Amino acid sequence: MINSPPRTKKSFRLSGTLATLGARYYPARGLRMSTSFQVSRERAVALHRNGHVDQAISAYLELLKQQPDSADLLGLLGVAKEHGGAPEEAERLLRLSLQDRTTVPLAYRNLNNLLGLLIESGRQEEAKSAAEAYSPDVWPPGRVPDTVEHDIIVSLVSALKDVGLADLALAIGLPHLSTMGKDVEFAMSIADLLHAAGRDDDAFAVLDRDFGPGEELPNLHAVRAALAYKRNDLAACRQSSHRFAVSMPILLSESTSSQQFVLAVFNRSPELVTDFREPHNHHYSSNFPSQLVKAFADRFRFMSVLADSPTAVDALRGMPRPALALNNVVNAEQLMVEDTLQRVSAFEDSLGVKVINHPKLAVQATRQKNSDRFADIPGIVFPKVYRYHSDKDQRLALIEEIESRCGYPVIIRTVFQQMGVGTQLVGDRQSLREALDKLEGFQFYAITYLPTCQSDGKFRSLRAAFINKQPLIIRADYSDHWNVRARRNPQRQDFYRKNPHLLDKANRIVLDPEYELGSNLYDKIKIVAEIMPLEIFGVDFDLAEDGNLIIFETNATMNLLSTSPKELEYPPQIEKKLRQILEKFLISQIAR
């Protein structure tokens, strides 16, 4: 679903607010209206608008004596009754007013107010039934909505979306798109309906115009980018993604009384916005810093800064000064592209505060450098890592070199992707050739495969979090597959439901790793802590039967807090301990 921004007014009931009660009079078809009646009606509406609800009700009742079936007066009286604290009578009157559904736009107004009353009281299903039962006639051809009618249409479309009547909302809203001027929020609402109906080309067309001041809305660019991606228009997606980063270089969380200080998180701008999520999710990747923001929202006020956005420097001037910063631009491969390291480092240093996992530290933690770093340490095995560029003209020579250095099977993975994306295990020359063909023109890693299968035929992976050189084992998992994934993966969940004894075994390791795996386990892990240059990072590893520590992965972006469903959760006391260590460390860094 497209996340449209909230309107400045309520998303429904706009025509029931006091400011809009003075909408034009809508006489039923064929009914003549006297001047004195119109004056009396306007006086009644003025009383209502000025808060004299009881007097307005009396005035409406007097007018109804002259026109007892007036849908206009019944609707106004219904709203007044609700304002006067009689919702049941208000509902009865609004339903009665909708016996006339041919007088449009009046029927739009009355239906909108009825749906608003029902939705606000939590009666979604009744609202849906009412919308289906009282669906109004089509809008009069050639009639351009005035300001109040504009709000009624917007509100009604929103209410129909709220109750799950997308088709009806689209049928009512789409014909008015051309008359809504530069109302970007309404256009995004219609685009949302079209997207939900599988009409992405039409949704893209709705937003493919100049909205004037609305062009400053960051979510407009994010939605345009996502729609372009769905249409496989990567150029348009990249352009709109860039405009999103330019229009929202900083995202400051809400302030609460329990927060101790502002903590800046330097993030990388999304190259391609590919889905319809809140701006928060386009600022933060699905990695550890995004977990930190959610877990400690009550302790720290987080400020995401897109470090590579051209407008970030100016935007910072109007923001509260952070007491501490966490660098999340930690992909060492990306930092080494052109002058990225110099630019990002200079920008982050300009804040004049301590930066955890500074870019100059992160750039030292490439897979290749880590492989060299652990190459000659007794008791620790790190796979050999070789970096290549896939070139079809050198394909055979490249294959032969990989075979000579790594043998089979060999792990082939992309340079820039994380979380196992772009990783495959290749078992023979033909498979290697096919893998390199897919990577034509790109850099990639060839990594020696270290067999770690347990005696029962299962694979195991442990994860340790490192906070200021202090290690803590936070995960243990088993799998039928060599690439052991976390428990949030549906296939992993199914595996544990079939193998509950392995779930129990894994959790016992997390609770007491030295008892389960040997008393010298932490001695080896502490060596990793001392050698790695980062202050907060994670390591995936296993302990071989010969006692060697086999390292699979180490970086600053992996999730350290649990992402598992409750029934497959890791021991909660370990998660609690990790949070305590994290909070203590963050607070300790302020004075530095």
Side-chain angles (χ1 to χ4, degrees), residues 18 415 506 517:
L18 296 179
V415 169
L517 300 177

Side-chain angles (χ1 to χ4, degrees), residues 451-468:
T452 59
C453 189
Q454 302 288 302
S455 58
D456 59 359
K458 306 299 182 185
F459 296 88
R460 183 178 67 191
S461 178
L462 313 179
R463 176 167 294 183
F466 293 79
I467 314 297
N468 195 30

Side-chain angles (χ1 to χ4, degrees), residues 1 5 17 55 110 116 148 210 252 292 304 344 368 381 393 413 425 454 457 498 507-508 538:
M1 175 179 288
T17 61
Q55 295 178 50
N110 290 339
V148 172
D210 185 1
L252 183 64
L292 202 66
S304 170
V344 173
Q368 205 162 6
V381 180
D393 294 333
R413 69 173 299 161
L425 186 65
Q454 302 288 302
K498 294 177 181 177
N507 284 345
R508 289 202 311 270

